[in-house]
């Protein structure tokens, strides 16, 4: 159980365009989902916490107008990279847990490798 | 500030045992996680420790000492497929996960 699906697995886009990444919890409801970014040979960096029905909480240094997060239902959160630039090329991973406000292992989507040309 | 330290890279031989250490300084503690991440893939959950002591799960074991702010992941009977990065993460007083930079484990035949 506790499966998180992320789509697409990889995407190549041109500089200046926008890309939407979907994260779905398939067999549980997630009031909170997390979006991470990982550059090569570096650890996970939390970008934002997505809260169902309310605004996302962004980490320091992450532009909320560039990385738009929508968590419209208990099973779906989307991350839109707007006006993408080559420096946005990275591995984006979402995660969620069936339990909030408690310690519970995070379940990760398979990640989306974004390449901006 | 909050900090998680683990070695950047380790090398071990197939069939051997390796111990990956993790030390932490965080504001509060609600448990420590170990994740495995193969190159180009998302992390997968390995273990969770919140009380002192050793938790054994097949070939993998995880140890925690809260007084020392220290944990280790022990991998026995190493297999080539164990080549991966191993991430240590601590849940702080707000249940926020603080991540280490990961330890890249290289297994040689």
């Amino acid at each position: 159980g506790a499966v998180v699906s992320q789509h697409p697995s990889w995407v190549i886009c041109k500089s200046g365009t926008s890309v939407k990444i979907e994260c779905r919890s398939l067999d549980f409801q997630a009031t909170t989902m997390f979006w991470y970014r990982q550059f090569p040979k570096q650890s996970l960096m939390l970008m934002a916490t997505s809260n169902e029905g309310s605004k996302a909480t962004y980490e320091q240094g992450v532009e909320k107008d560039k990385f738009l997060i929508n968590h419209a239902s208990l099973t779906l959160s989307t991350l839109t990279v707007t006006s993408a630039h080559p420096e946005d090329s990275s591995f984006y991973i979402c995660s969620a847990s069936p339990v909030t406000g408690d310690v519970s292992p995070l379940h990760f989507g398979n990640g989306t490798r974004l390449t901006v040309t | 500030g909050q900090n998680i330290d683990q070695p950047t890279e380790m090398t071990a031989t197939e069939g051997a045992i390796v111990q990956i250490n993790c030390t932490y300084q965080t504001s509060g503690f609600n448990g420590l996680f170990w994740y495995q991440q193969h190159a180009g893939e998302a992390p997968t959950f390995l273990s969770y420790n919140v009380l002192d002591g050793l938790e054994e799960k097949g070939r993998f074991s995880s140890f925690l000492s809260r007084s020392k702010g220290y944990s280790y992941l022990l991998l026995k009977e190493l297999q080539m497929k164990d080549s991966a990065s191993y991430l240590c993460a601590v849940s702080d007083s707000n249940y926020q996960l603080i991540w280490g930079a990961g330890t890249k484990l290289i297994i040689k035949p």
Side-chain angles (χ1 to χ4, degrees), chain A residues 48-105:
Chain A
T49 302
S50 171
N51 305 297
E52 187 269 334
S54 64
K55 292 182 179 180
T57 304
Y58 290 82
E59 295 300 301
Q60 191 172 9
V62 178
E63 300 174 56
K64 62 179 181 180
D65 294 329
K66 179 171 180 63
F67 299 98
L68 302 178
I69 291 174
N70 184 283
H71 194 156
S73 77
L74 287 171
T75 59
L76 173 65
S77 175
T78 61
L79 168 69
T80 301
V81 183
T82 63
S83 187
H85 288 97
E87 56 264 32
D88 297 324
S89 298
S90 187
F91 191 48
Y92 292 85
I93 315 174
C94 72
S95 69
S97 171
V99 180
T100 57
D102 197 351
V103 281
S104 178

Side-chain angles (χ1 to χ4, degrees), chain A residues 16-76:
Chain A
T17 61
S18 296
V19 174
K20 179 185 284 188
I21 303 170
E22 293 187 349
C23 181
R24 295 180 184 273
S25 54
L26 297 186
D27 53 1
F28 66 97
Q29 294 183 334
T31 55
T32 304
M33 291 184 176
F34 303 92
W35 287 97
Y36 289 89
R37 181 167 54 181
Q38 187 176 36
F39 292 104
K41 299 185 180 181
Q42 296 186 23
S43 188
L44 298 172
M45 290 177 52
L46 180 65
M47 298 176 66
T49 302
S50 171
N51 305 297
E52 187 269 334
S54 64
K55 292 182 179 180
T57 304
Y58 290 82
E59 295 300 301
Q60 191 172 9
V62 178
E63 300 174 56
K64 62 179 181 180
D65 294 329
K66 179 171 180 63
F67 299 98
L68 302 178
I69 291 174
N70 184 283
H71 194 156
S73 77
L74 287 171
T75 59
L76 173 65

Side-chain angles (χ1 to χ4, degrees), chain B residues 44-62:
Chain B
T44 55
F45 169 74
L46 288 179
S47 67
Y48 170 68
N49 294 68
V50 67
L51 299 177
D52 290 350
L54 186 68
E55 294 276 345
E56 297 187 71
K57 193 183 293 185
R59 294 190 299 114
F60 293 5
S61 302
S62 56

Side-chain angles (χ1 to χ4, degrees), chain B residues 78-109:
Chain B
L78 285 170
Q79 302 174 10
M80 298 303 293
K81 67 178 182 180
D82 297 329
S83 292
S85 287
Y86 291 85
L87 309 176
C88 173
V90 172
S91 179
D92 70 8
S93 57
N94 295 318
Y95 298 103
Q96 298 280 348
L97 270 185
I98 313 300
W99 292 88
T103 298
K104 182 179 180 181
L105 178 63
I106 300 169
I107 309 297
K108 295 184 175 180

